[in-house]
Amino acid sequence: MIKGILGKKLGMSQIFNENGEIVPVTLIQTGPCFVIQKKLKDRDGYDAIQLGFEPKKESRVNQPLKGHLNKAGKGYFYHLREMQCDDMESVEVGQEIKASDIFEKGEKIKITGTSKGKGFAGVTRRHGFGGLPASHGSLIHRATGSIGCSADPSKVIKGKRMPGQLGNKRVTTKGLEVVDVMADENVIAIKGAVPGAKGQVVVLKKQGV
């Protein structure tokens, strides 16, 4: 069995569960993905499946990549990712993979995506610093404050929390519950929020992989 699949975040919605309670969900368009290549332990050193997701025009593909994708005979794709697989013999090159083949309702999974980029931010917003005094004539309120030591070690310690880029990082959220798998539309509903903005490509994997 393949351990994961690629998808595109469609946005958030809400559905009613069996108890009539409203559950906030993130809708993800999962595929269809196609098996582009099989990597075998005897030949490549490990077992894995390469999946292709989101169709791409032939005119946008260079010759080396075109030759690679032509072996599967399923067209050209924007995104290629490798996934772990338990049973390599059950998967064939060119095979279509859907979310309903991997995940089921009520299962816990993990999702990896690129978080929303929020630009340059100070320490108050980026790290939650409390700030400096707001009264008694203080003219500095949201600054970092002292960042270094005196004579020893006379340097800024590596990893010091400083102003900088907020967001736009690869983030993995674990323990997300699959609320529903809509096999006909290739859409999967995940309880709660998922990293990334609308239209962002995410990787869905089984918990523990």
Side-chain angles (χ1 to χ4, degrees):
M1 176 186 291
I2 299 176
K3 297 293 187 177
I5 196 171
L6 292 172
K8 178 183 286 188
K9 183 175 177 180
L10 300 178
M12 293 200 69
S13 182
Q14 57 188 22
I15 62 176
F16 290 92
N17 62 13
E18 294 81 359
N19 301 323
E21 300 170 334
I22 291 180
V23 179
V25 296
T26 301
L27 300 178
I28 301 176
Q29 182 78 46
T30 53
C33 294
F34 293 91
V35 178
I36 304 301
Q37 182 184 15
K38 292 173 64 174
K39 296 207 168 184
L40 303 175
K41 192 170 184 179
D42 297 338
R43 183 186 63 203
D44 303 297
Y46 62 98
D47 290 335
I49 298 295
Q50 187 184 68
L51 297 179
F53 173 65
E54 199 172 4
K56 188 177 187 179
K57 291 182 179 179
E58 182 178 356
S59 60
R60 293 181 173 271
V61 184
N62 59 32
Q63 289 298 326
L65 185 58
K66 188 180 294 185
H68 174 66
L69 295 173
N70 281 339
K71 296 177 182 177
K74 291 297 180 179
Y76 309 101
F77 302 93
Y78 276 100
H79 308 285
L80 299 175
R81 293 289 189 280
E82 289 186 4
M83 297 290 175
Q84 294 183 18
C85 182
D86 285 341
D87 187 6
M88 298 294 292
E89 296 181 357
S90 64
V91 181
E92 298 297 333
V93 174
Q95 179 179 337
E96 182 179 347
I97 306 296
K98 298 182 179 180
S100 55
D101 301 330
I102 304 174
F103 305 112
E104 57 185 17
K105 185 177 179 180
E107 184 179 358
K108 298 285 187 178
I109 67 173
K110 65 179 182 179
I111 298 180
T112 301
T114 303
S115 62
K116 290 182 180 179
K118 300 179 180 180
F120 189 94
V123 292
T124 304
R125 185 182 183 200
R126 191 183 187 202
H127 302 297
F129 279 22
L132 297 173
S135 61
H136 294 287
S138 174
L139 300 177
I140 302 174
H141 308 299
R142 298 172 65 92
T144 309
S146 176
I147 62 172
C149 307
S150 179
D152 183 26
S154 298
K155 65 179 181 180
V156 179
I157 302 300
K158 187 175 182 179
K160 182 70 176 177
R161 291 178 295 174
M162 301 279 282
Q165 168 72 39
L166 177 61
N168 195 29
K169 291 185 177 180
R170 189 172 175 84
V171 179
T172 299
T173 304
K174 300 180 180 180
L176 295 172
E177 180 182 348
V178 177
V179 178
D180 194 10
V181 179
M182 307 168 211
D184 296 337
E185 294 85 11
N186 284 327
V187 173
I188 186 170
I190 305 294
K191 183 177 181 180
V194 169
K198 291 181 182 179
Q200 180 74 46
V201 173
V202 295
V203 180
L204 300 85
K205 291 184 179 180
K206 286 186 168 292
Q207 194 80 352
V209 176

